[in-house]
Each structure stands twice: as structure tokens, then as C-alpha cells.
């Protein structure tokens, strides 16, 4: 692993005005990761308001237009897979093959939803209470603004694989990635906008989960959360109190290898 730093100018889709910065440490010695600005709760309110303002117009764009964006995104991430793999490695410490797996998974998800979008989003005719005399027509509709809270261990996959079907269905998104792996998500969104994504359809906030994640759940119309079972219970309860939908992928069962030279004090603070 080279000593090249992960760095970029703060993207326009990241709402963060606190003046404070999060400084992630790479698992690889000698590898620097540029700091990222931290959002405030007011930034969350702004990001959701921007996404909500854009949602009606976005949902009225043609499905063919949205499919074309996913098709272009599929091609772009494959074109940039070496760059993306390096960013994922530097932030997570993964082997190259595991980093590439993330990229290929997002490419497959993008292609899958682009191919099946018309089938998934077409009206569905069903029998009514009285067959022949009555019938039901189910018309898919977007939820509105979807909040996505993604973890550090699959920073590219678990950010983008929730964003893609959400925007394809006409929703807008506010993403809060883990502070340790911001650049994997940032670069993923940069390529999505390069693929033709409309401005403000996807926005981003950053900062501690108990502060920024909680503020996000208080504002959006649906929540996608990946993380621990304990935190998932809190997220589910908060979403339930607002009567909004929530998608939870919970874990905490995976083994961990602790090396002899690990700085245990750092993780016990």
C-alpha cells in the first residue's frame, strides 16, 4: 500500500458547516486520509429540505431517464474500479480482492435494477373483493426522502446499493456514511453525478451517529440502517414513533481478530 493520501475538495452535496473536522486513521502505516467536515443538526435540516424540494420534480422525470443514469453509473464504476478499490482499501484495510468485490457488487446492483425497473415499477392489476365485478390496481409510489445510515465495513456497497433503487423509484436521498470511511461514499456519489444524476437528488451529511443519525431519522420519510442490533433497536423505535418505514440490516455476530500489537486503550476509551 502506497503512502498516497486520500484527498479531495469538499463536494457540494456534503452539508457540513460546523467548522470542525473528522480525522480518520488508515489501518495501513504511512497512509494519510484527508479530514472531512462535520455536519450540525441544522445541516441535516437543510440537507433534507433540499432533498424534499427536489423530490417532486425528480419523481416526475421519465423512468427511462433514471434507468439511463444507472446504466452509465454501472460503466463508470467499472472504469474507475482501480481508483475506487484503492480508496476502499485505504479506509478499511481490506485486501485488494475484497475491495474489488464491493465495486463489482454495486455494478451488479446497478445493472439489475436498470434491467428490471419497468417490471418493478409498473402498475399491478389484482382481483378485487368480488372477482370480475371489482378489481384493484396497485400503483407504486415513492416514499419521499430516504435517509441512509451506512457503516464502515462495506462503505461503498452499503451506501450505493441502497441509494440506487431509492432514486430509481423516484425518491431523493440523504446519506450519512460512517466517519471512518467518508471518502469511499464521497467518490461513489461523485461518479453518480457524473453519470447524470440531477443536483440535490442525493445529499450527504456527516458526523456522530447519535447526533447526526438521530437528527436524520427525525426528518426523513423512510430510513435504511445497517449496523449493530443494539443500535438497530434504537433506530427502529425512533422510526416507529414517527410511523415511518425502516429497513434494518443488523449484525454484530462476526468474529474479530485482535493482533498482539493492537492499541487496545484506543478502543476502550
Amino acid at each position: 500500500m502506497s503512502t498516497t493520501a486520500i484527498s479531495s475538495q469538499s463536494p457540494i452535496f456534503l452539508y457540513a458547516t460546523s467548522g470542525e473536522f473528522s480525522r480518520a486513521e488508515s489501518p495501513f502505516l504511512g497512509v494519510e486520509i484527508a479530514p472531512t467536515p462535520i455536519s450540525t443538526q441544522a445541516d441535516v435540516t437543510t440537507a433534507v429540505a433540499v432533498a424534499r424540494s427536489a423530490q417532486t420534480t425528480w419523481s416526475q422525470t421519465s423512468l427511462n431517464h433514471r434507468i439511463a443514469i444507472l446504466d452509465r453509473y454501472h460503466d463508470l464504476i467499472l472504469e474507475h474500479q482501480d481508483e475506487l478499490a484503492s480508496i476502499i482499501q485505504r479506509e478499511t484495510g481490506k485486501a485488494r480482492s475484497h475491495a474489488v468485490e464491493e465495486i463489482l457488487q454495486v455494478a451488479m446492483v446497478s445493472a439489475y435494477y436498470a434491467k428490471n425497473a419497468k417490471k418493478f415499477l409498473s402498475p399491478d392489476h389484482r382481483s378485487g373483493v368480488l372477482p370480475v365485478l371489482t378489481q384493484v390496481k396497485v400503483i407504486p409510489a415513492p416514499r419521499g426522502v430516504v435517509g441512509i445510515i451506512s457503516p464502515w465495513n462495506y462503505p461503498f456497497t452499503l451506501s450505493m446499493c441502497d441509494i440506487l433503487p431509492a432514486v430509481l423509484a423516484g425518491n431523493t436521498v440523504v446519506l450519512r456514511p460512517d466517519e471512518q470511511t467518508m471518502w469511499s461514499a464521497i467518490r461513489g456519489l461523485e461518479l453518480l453525478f457524473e453519470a447524470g444524476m440531477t443536483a440535490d437528488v442525493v445529499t450527504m451529511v456527516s458526523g456522530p451517529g447519535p447526533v447526526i443519525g438521530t437528527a436524520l431519522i427525525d426528518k426523513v420519510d423512510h430510513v435504511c440502517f445497517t449496523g449493530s442490533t443494539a443500535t438497530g433497536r434504537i433506530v427502529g423505535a425512533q422510526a416507529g414513533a414517527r410511523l415511518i418505514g425502516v429497513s434494518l440490516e443488523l449484525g454484530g455476530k462476526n468474529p474479530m481478530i485482535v493482533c498482539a500489537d493492537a492499541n487496545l486503550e484506543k478502543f476502550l476509551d
Side-chain angles (χ1 to χ4, degrees), residues 75-245:
D75 295 341
L76 278 173
I77 60 177
L78 292 181
E79 290 173 16
H80 290 266
Q81 63 178 293
D82 285 342
E83 173 200 357
L84 289 166
S86 293
I87 295 173
I88 294 168
Q89 278 192 280
R90 290 166 185 162
E91 289 193 310
T92 65
K94 290 186 176 185
R96 190 73 170 184
S97 60
H98 295 161
V100 171
E101 282 178 5
E102 284 204 53
I103 298 160
L104 297 180
Q105 183 171 356
V106 175
M108 287 189 292
V109 167
S110 185
Y112 173 78
Y113 281 109
K115 180 180 179 180
N116 292 284
K118 292 183 179 180
K119 179 176 68 174
F120 292 158
L121 297 175
S122 295
D124 184 16
H125 295 271
R126 301 182 185 179
S127 298
V129 176
L130 300 175
V132 180
L133 297 177
T134 61
Q135 60 178 279
V136 175
K137 185 177 183 181
V138 180
I139 302 175
R143 296 293 182 90
V145 180
V146 176
I148 296 175
I149 302 172
S150 59
W152 66 270
N153 58 335
Y154 283 86
F156 188 64
T157 296
L158 294 177
S159 294
M160 300 312 305
C161 284
D162 282 340
I163 289 174
L164 295 175
V167 296
L168 184 66
N171 301 285
T172 52
V173 170
V174 180
L175 170 67
R176 181 267 170 190
D178 191 279
E179 294 171 274
Q180 300 175 84
T181 53
M182 288 287 295
W183 292 110
S184 295
I186 286 171
R187 190 64 183 122
L189 291 192
E190 287 176 341
L191 291 174
L192 186 59
F193 281 96
E194 187 176 333
M197 179 57 63
T198 304
D200 301 333
V201 170
V202 183
T203 57
M204 178 187 286
V205 291
S206 63
V211 178
I212 301 304
T214 298
L216 185 61
I217 298 168
D218 279 339
K219 299 292 183 181
V220 297
D221 305 307
H222 188 91
V223 180
C224 298
F225 170 80
T226 305
S228 71
T229 301
T231 304
R233 289 193 179 100
I234 297 171
V235 172
Q238 187 180 350
R242 293 191 56 228
L243 297 178
I244 63 171

